[in-house]
Amino acid sequence: MIKVGLQSLAGRPARTALTMLAIVLGVAMVAAAFTVTDTMRKAADALSSAAYDGTDAVVTGRTHVETSASNEWAVQRPKVPASALAAVRALPQVGVAVGDVTDQSTKIIGADGKPIGQGPYFGIGYDSKTPGAERVSPLHLVRGQWATGPGQVVLDEGTADKAKAKIGSTVRIATDRGRSYRVTGIAHFGDVKSLGTATVAAFDLATAQREGGRGTRFDDILVGAAKGVSPAELRRALAGVVPAQATVKSAAADDRFTFDSLKSFIDIIKVALLIFGGVAIVVGAFTIFNALSITVAQRSRELGLLRLIGASRKQVLGSVVVEALALGVLASVAGVAAGYGLAHGLTALLAAMGLDLPEAGTVFATRTIAIALVVGIVVTTLAGLIPAYRATRVAPVAVLRDAAARRPGRIGR
């Protein structure tokens, strides 16, 4: 009976292909949704790791309002006085401590006069003169040298490519005191290939303080523990020396680059894509149901003959279920393969819509393959159960009645 079901599929190649197409699209959308968001999540985790893993504590301004990525823009955090840096460096638990300025309104202006990217526009003050500063910085210099004075800037590689900037090029940057800067270096933000819509401009610390109107103050003090000192021990020691207007946090809790917000946005995209995939799967299930219902109606004489020569209802049921299962397997395998290609298309579409996100190499996980295959096969098989059950109701006598209707006068002679 398995052979009968498979022969039924092979005997109607056009209908089989069209029926499979609906499931292929649904499975492809599910696979693409997981692939796109897993890729983005990997990039976001890599960014977070690069930014925070080397920093064991952050001394930052204390606010009386609980802040998060969604409302921090509306809350003005007090700045950390320069005197706090000397007190922090004096602690034996401290291995390295540097003042930090991180602004989110430093726009790099392109040749068309418009800001490059869609934001956030990170402006960072980097103290390259302090030994060990690279430990608490997310930036890694790949070409050129760090900015060491006024009028100099280091760009992340993605932004430099968009601005068509090279070492020695001049770029316009809209800070509080916007002016032109000479590019002295190109840096990576961790190991991520692209920051998506975000841009990074790194100045020397004094320039960042001056351009951002900080005076001699810092937004934060980034601290790395001395050898053998745990992060928790370091934070306890820091709490005893920081001024009253400052507090001590872990780097992840401070989240100065708002990666929690980025991860939440990725989750929203994932839900939206999976909804589209779910709709496509449901439409595919209805298509399978209708196609198999029509097939059963057209094969009633064939099924009746099978019953007439001794096939049981269970065998007839199995024949139609095998047909649905085969459809599900073939369509799901094709859908998974199509999903990989669709993921690249969705990424390009999001970029065209201004929603390009950090990317660090495509992630096509085993989990994605397994979920997509299971969804496609199970849904298709379930959609075929009702037509399969109807097939078992075809009585053997239906064949005789059909024969009598086709050849009147032959029966009973």
Side-chain angles (χ1 to χ4, degrees):
M1 296 303 291
I2 293 177
K3 185 177 180 180
V4 171
L6 296 178
Q7 286 178 338
S8 175
L9 282 178
R12 306 183 312 279
R15 177 177 294 174
T16 298
L18 291 174
T19 303
M20 285 176 54
L21 181 60
I23 291 297
V24 168
L25 293 176
V27 171
M29 196 66 191
V30 170
F34 279 104
T35 300
V36 169
T37 52
D38 284 350
T39 299
M40 292 176 175
R41 173 66 71 167
K42 175 189 174 185
D45 289 342
L47 287 171
S48 181
S49 176
Y52 304 144
D53 283 0
T55 304
D56 297 307
V58 175
V59 178
T60 188
R62 183 190 298 275
T63 64
H64 298 290
V65 178
E66 187 68 26
T67 62
S68 66
S70 61
N71 72 351
E72 191 170 10
W73 63 272
V75 180
Q76 184 65 39
R77 290 197 304 182
K79 305 306 177 186
V80 181
S83 58
L85 180 58
V88 167
R89 285 176 171 170
L91 289 173
Q93 294 90 345
V94 172
V96 60
V98 295
D100 170 70
V101 172
T102 302
D103 188 78
Q104 293 194 30
S105 59
T106 305
K107 299 179 181 180
I108 300 165
I109 308 302
D112 59 358
K114 298 179 180 179
I116 294 173
Q118 302 290 327
Y121 308 99
F122 294 116
I124 299 174
Y126 179 64
D127 184 7
S128 61
K129 298 176 182 178
T130 296
E134 66 279 357
R135 173 181 168 184
V136 293
S137 172
L139 298 177
H140 305 291
L141 197 68
V142 293
R143 291 192 298 279
Q145 61 183 22
W146 292 111
T148 56
Q152 299 179 0
V153 70
V154 172
L155 302 180
D156 71 277
E157 189 164 27
T159 301
D161 289 342
K162 293 174 184 176
K164 296 181 173 56
K166 300 179 180 179
I167 305 297
S169 297
T170 299
V171 294
R172 285 194 301 143
I173 300 180
T175 59
D176 287 353
R177 305 177 184 181
R179 53 175 291 185
S180 295
Y181 292 80
R182 184 173 63 85
V183 178
T184 63
I186 305 296
H188 282 172
F189 198 109
D191 297 323
V192 175
K193 297 177 182 177
S194 168
L195 284 169
T197 63
T199 61
V200 174
F203 311 93
D204 75 284
L205 185 57
T207 298
Q209 289 175 307
R210 182 176 61 255
E211 295 291 345
R214 267 69 169 181
T216 60
R217 299 169 299 166
F218 309 116
D219 291 338
D220 310 285
I221 297 175
L222 309 179
V223 188
K227 186 175 181 180
V229 178
S230 70
E233 184 181 352
L234 171 66
R235 289 193 287 270
R236 284 195 298 269
L238 289 170
V241 300
V242 299
Q245 69 269 34
T247 187
V248 180
K249 297 181 179 180
S250 67
D254 184 55
D255 193 27
R256 71 187 189 279
F257 293 106
T258 63
F259 290 133
D260 284 346
S261 178
L262 171 62
K263 292 174 183 178
S264 297
F265 183 54
I266 290 171
D267 289 338
I268 292 172
I269 290 178
K270 182 175 184 176
V271 170
L273 293 177
L274 286 176
I275 288 174
F276 281 113
V279 170
I281 287 286
V282 170
V283 171
F286 277 110
T287 302
I288 294 291
F289 172 80
N290 290 330
L292 289 179
S293 295
I294 293 171
T295 298
V296 168
Q298 291 177 338
R299 294 175 59 201
S300 59
R301 187 167 181 237
E302 175 190 336
L303 297 173
L305 281 171
L306 291 173
R307 293 295 311 282
L308 190 63
I309 62 176
S312 66
R313 287 185 174 181
K314 183 177 179 180
Q315 288 175 314
V316 172
L317 176 69
S319 173
V320 181
V321 169
V322 164
E323 190 173 338
L325 180 61
L327 274 173
V329 171
L330 292 173
S332 298
V333 171
V336 168
Y340 183 81
L342 182 60
H344 291 282
L346 286 174
T347 301
L349 178 61
L350 289 172
M353 296 170 61
L355 297 176
D356 49 325
L357 295 175
E359 191 271 322
T362 302
V363 178
F364 196 57
T366 302
R367 178 207 61 186
T368 297
I369 298 173
I371 291 176
L373 287 175
V374 168
V375 168
I377 293 171
V378 170
V379 169
T380 304
T381 304
L382 291 177
L385 285 180
I386 294 178
Y389 177 75
R390 289 176 180 171
T392 66
R393 313 305 298 175
V394 179
V397 71
V399 178
L400 299 177
R401 289 173 181 166
D402 184 59
R406 290 173 180 269
R407 303 176 66 185
R410 297 295 299 271
I411 303 298
R413 283 189 177 180

PDB file of all heavy atoms in Angstrom, residues 2 95 105 115 140 155 177 252 260 282 308 349 382-384:
ATOM      1  N   ILE A   2       2.065   1.161   0.579  1.00  0.00           N
ATOM      2  CA  ILE A   2       2.986   2.298   0.534  1.00  0.00           C
ATOM      3  C   ILE A   2       3.348   2.614  -0.909  1.00  0.00           C
ATOM      4  O   ILE A   2       3.368   3.774  -1.339  1.00  0.00           O
ATOM      5  CB  ILE A   2       4.256   2.001   1.357  1.00  0.00           C
ATOM      6  CG1 ILE A   2       3.907   1.897   2.842  1.00  0.00           C
ATOM      7  CG2 ILE A   2       5.313   3.070   1.118  1.00  0.00           C
ATOM      8  CD1 ILE A   2       5.071   1.538   3.731  1.00  0.00           C
ATOM      9  N   GLY A  95      43.531  46.800  38.478  1.00  0.00           N
ATOM     10  CA  GLY A  95      44.603  46.534  37.532  1.00  0.00           C
ATOM     11  C   GLY A  95      44.752  47.639  36.514  1.00  0.00           C
ATOM     12  O   GLY A  95      45.861  48.047  36.167  1.00  0.00           O
ATOM     13  N   SER A 105      25.265  60.807  20.064  1.00  0.00           N
ATOM     14  CA  SER A 105      24.779  61.799  19.097  1.00  0.00           C
ATOM     15  C   SER A 105      25.899  62.318  18.208  1.00  0.00           C
ATOM     16  O   SER A 105      25.805  63.413  17.655  1.00  0.00           O
ATOM     17  CB  SER A 105      24.115  62.967  19.835  1.00  0.00           C
ATOM     18  OG  SER A 105      25.035  63.579  20.720  1.00  0.00           O
ATOM     19  N   PRO A 115      23.717  62.284   7.654  1.00  0.00           N
ATOM     20  CA  PRO A 115      24.441  61.391   8.563  1.00  0.00           C
ATOM     21  C   PRO A 115      24.525  59.975   7.989  1.00  0.00           C
ATOM     22  O   PRO A 115      23.578  59.474   7.382  1.00  0.00           O
ATOM     23  CB  PRO A 115      23.587  61.412   9.838  1.00  0.00           C
ATOM     24  CG  PRO A 115      22.802  62.675   9.762  1.00  0.00           C
ATOM     25  CD  PRO A 115      22.535  62.894   8.295  1.00  0.00           C
ATOM     26  N   HIS A 140      39.284  47.505  18.582  1.00  0.00           N
ATOM     27  CA  HIS A 140      40.597  46.912  18.291  1.00  0.00           C
ATOM     28  C   HIS A 140      41.126  47.542  17.008  1.00  0.00           C
ATOM     29  O   HIS A 140      40.502  47.417  15.948  1.00  0.00           O
ATOM     30  CB  HIS A 140      40.486  45.398  18.135  1.00  0.00           C
ATOM     31  CG  HIS A 140      39.845  44.723  19.307  1.00  0.00           C
ATOM     32  ND1 HIS A 140      40.447  44.640  20.535  1.00  0.00           N
ATOM     33  CD2 HIS A 140      38.639  44.121  19.434  1.00  0.00           C
ATOM     34  CE1 HIS A 140      39.651  44.005  21.379  1.00  0.00           C
ATOM     35  NE2 HIS A 140      38.541  43.686  20.733  1.00  0.00           N
ATOM     36  N   LEU A 155      37.668  55.554  12.997  1.00  0.00           N
ATOM     37  CA  LEU A 155      36.328  55.078  12.627  1.00  0.00           C
ATOM     38  C   LEU A 155      36.273  53.560  12.658  1.00  0.00           C
ATOM     39  O   LEU A 155      37.285  52.879  12.433  1.00  0.00           O
ATOM     40  CB  LEU A 155      35.964  55.554  11.212  1.00  0.00           C
ATOM     41  CG  LEU A 155      35.975  57.061  10.944  1.00  0.00           C
ATOM     42  CD1 LEU A 155      35.594  57.315   9.485  1.00  0.00           C
ATOM     43  CD2 LEU A 155      35.018  57.789  11.884  1.00  0.00           C
ATOM     44  N   ARG A 177      30.398  70.598  18.856  1.00  0.00           N
ATOM     45  CA  ARG A 177      31.196  71.614  18.160  1.00  0.00           C
ATOM     46  C   ARG A 177      31.671  71.009  16.844  1.00  0.00           C
ATOM     47  O   ARG A 177      32.852  70.764  16.645  1.00  0.00           O
ATOM     48  CB  ARG A 177      32.393  72.027  19.030  1.00  0.00           C
ATOM     49  CG  ARG A 177      32.008  72.506  20.423  1.00  0.00           C
ATOM     50  CD  ARG A 177      33.237  72.818  21.245  1.00  0.00           C
ATOM     51  NE  ARG A 177      32.905  73.193  22.608  1.00  0.00           N
ATOM     52  CZ  ARG A 177      33.802  73.525  23.532  1.00  0.00           C
ATOM     53  NH1 ARG A 177      35.090  73.543  23.222  1.00  0.00           N
ATOM     54  NH2 ARG A 177      33.435  73.843  24.760  1.00  0.00           N
ATOM     55  N   ALA A 252      27.917  44.984  32.183  1.00  0.00           N
ATOM     56  CA  ALA A 252      26.673  44.558  31.528  1.00  0.00           C
ATOM     57  C   ALA A 252      25.471  45.285  32.117  1.00  0.00           C
ATOM     58  O   ALA A 252      24.535  45.653  31.399  1.00  0.00           O
ATOM     59  CB  ALA A 252      26.502  43.054  31.664  1.00  0.00           C
ATOM     60  N   ASP A 260      21.008  45.643  25.308  1.00  0.00           N
ATOM     61  CA  ASP A 260      19.756  45.010  25.721  1.00  0.00           C
ATOM     62  C   ASP A 260      18.613  45.456  24.823  1.00  0.00           C
ATOM     63  O   ASP A 260      17.726  44.672  24.474  1.00  0.00           O
ATOM     64  CB  ASP A 260      19.431  45.354  27.180  1.00  0.00           C
ATOM     65  CG  ASP A 260      20.286  44.561  28.159  1.00  0.00           C
ATOM     66  OD1 ASP A 260      20.923  43.578  27.723  1.00  0.00           O
ATOM     67  OD2 ASP A 260      20.323  44.919  29.351  1.00  0.00           O
ATOM     68  N   VAL A 282      -0.089  27.462   7.728  1.00  0.00           N
ATOM     69  CA  VAL A 282      -1.537  27.205   7.801  1.00  0.00           C
ATOM     70  C   VAL A 282      -2.149  27.169   6.408  1.00  0.00           C
ATOM     71  O   VAL A 282      -2.964  26.289   6.082  1.00  0.00           O
ATOM     72  CB  VAL A 282      -2.231  28.280   8.670  1.00  0.00           C
ATOM     73  CG1 VAL A 282      -3.750  28.166   8.560  1.00  0.00           C
ATOM     74  CG2 VAL A 282      -1.806  28.137  10.124  1.00  0.00           C
ATOM     75  N   LEU A 308     -12.104  -4.144  -2.829  1.00  0.00           N
ATOM     76  CA  LEU A 308     -12.752  -5.318  -3.435  1.00  0.00           C
ATOM     77  C   LEU A 308     -11.812  -6.511  -3.501  1.00  0.00           C
ATOM     78  O   LEU A 308     -12.236  -7.664  -3.346  1.00  0.00           O
ATOM     79  CB  LEU A 308     -13.246  -4.962  -4.848  1.00  0.00           C
ATOM     80  CG  LEU A 308     -14.159  -5.985  -5.533  1.00  0.00           C
ATOM     81  CD1 LEU A 308     -15.454  -6.150  -4.750  1.00  0.00           C
ATOM     82  CD2 LEU A 308     -14.454  -5.553  -6.967  1.00  0.00           C
ATOM     83  N   LEU A 349      16.670  42.758   2.519  1.00  0.00           N
ATOM     84  CA  LEU A 349      15.449  43.551   2.559  1.00  0.00           C
ATOM     85  C   LEU A 349      15.417  44.447   3.788  1.00  0.00           C
ATOM     86  O   LEU A 349      15.062  45.627   3.705  1.00  0.00           O
ATOM     87  CB  LEU A 349      14.228  42.624   2.550  1.00  0.00           C
ATOM     88  CG  LEU A 349      12.855  43.306   2.646  1.00  0.00           C
ATOM     89  CD1 LEU A 349      12.631  44.236   1.457  1.00  0.00           C
ATOM     90  CD2 LEU A 349      11.745  42.263   2.733  1.00  0.00           C
ATOM     91  N   LEU A 382      -0.855  15.855   9.320  1.00  0.00           N
ATOM     92  CA  LEU A 382      -2.136  16.100   9.982  1.00  0.00           C
ATOM     93  C   LEU A 382      -3.189  16.585   8.998  1.00  0.00           C
ATOM     94  O   LEU A 382      -4.364  16.205   9.091  1.00  0.00           O
ATOM     95  CB  LEU A 382      -1.946  17.134  11.105  1.00  0.00           C
ATOM     96  CG  LEU A 382      -1.140  16.670  12.327  1.00  0.00           C
ATOM     97  CD1 LEU A 382      -0.973  17.822  13.312  1.00  0.00           C
ATOM     98  CD2 LEU A 382      -1.825  15.492  13.006  1.00  0.00           C
ATOM     99  N   ALA A 383      -2.768  17.406   8.045  1.00  0.00           N
ATOM    100  CA  ALA A 383      -3.716  17.910   7.043  1.00  0.00           C
ATOM    101  C   ALA A 383      -4.262  16.788   6.169  1.00  0.00           C
ATOM    102  O   ALA A 383      -5.351  16.916   5.589  1.00  0.00           O
ATOM    103  CB  ALA A 383      -3.036  18.966   6.177  1.00  0.00           C
ATOM    104  N   GLY A 384      -3.493  15.703   6.066  1.00  0.00           N
ATOM    105  CA  GLY A 384      -3.941  14.585   5.231  1.00  0.00           C
ATOM    106  C   GLY A 384      -4.778  13.551   5.948  1.00  0.00           C
ATOM    107  O   GLY A 384      -5.292  12.608   5.324  1.00  0.00           O
TER     108      GLY A 384
END
